[in-house]
Amino acid sequence: MSNTTAYETDEREERAPSFVVGAWRNRRWTRSSSSILLGLIPTALVIMSGGQLPVIGPALAEAGLLTPATAPVVAGITAAIALLNLVLFPFAREAYYRSTVALREGLSGVFVLGWMFLIVVVCRIAMLFVIWAVSIPAGILGLITLGDEDRRGLGWRIS
């Protein structure tokens, strides 16, 4: 018996999509277009600031790292980090939604009015910025998790 006959099977071999494509398709609670649109808001703010953010800019200036000579480098690094956040934001957002699904379903029948409505809206906007701020580590974790689930056949949007 040859080595090739030992591995031949009559079953049709399923070819899984690439790991990243599988992770992109394995989303239940978020959509690509809305995630990218929401991720563009802080990305645009960071890129337009050119590295001179309210907290980080003065700290860099005090440390002597933000001078007229280094400003283009700092702006480039800031833009690169902001774009990396934008790419990984959809995965971080999906991971957040999957981890808070029980809370959202438990509060689905609750209506808030008046000041509580304003507090809820402000907190949702704050969570958008928090998720965006940690989207590099959370997005990498989400990419690995979603891609692995899709590879194992546990995807939500398998076409």
Side-chain angles (χ1 to χ4, degrees), residues 19 22-23 26 91 94-95 98 137-152 154-155:
F19 193 78
N26 189 17
F91 303 116
E94 178 68 22
R98 285 189 184 200
I140 291 170
L141 182 63
L143 174 70
I144 291 168
T145 304
L146 296 173
D148 184 53
E149 286 178 0
D150 186 72
R151 185 184 55 77
R152 291 185 290 140
L154 302 173

Side-chain angles (χ1 to χ4, degrees), residues 103-123:
L103 178 65
R104 283 193 323 279
E105 287 177 354
L107 296 173
S108 64
V110 176
F111 294 100
V112 292
L113 300 171
W115 285 102
M116 280 302 289
F117 178 75
L118 182 62
I119 291 170
V120 167
V121 169
V122 168
C123 287

Side-chain angles (χ1 to χ4, degrees), residues 30-50:
T30 61
R31 301 275 185 250
S32 300
S33 56
S34 65
S35 291
I36 291 173
L37 185 63
L38 287 172
L40 274 175
I41 296 167
T43 302
L45 292 173
V46 167
I47 290 175
M48 287 188 310
S49 76

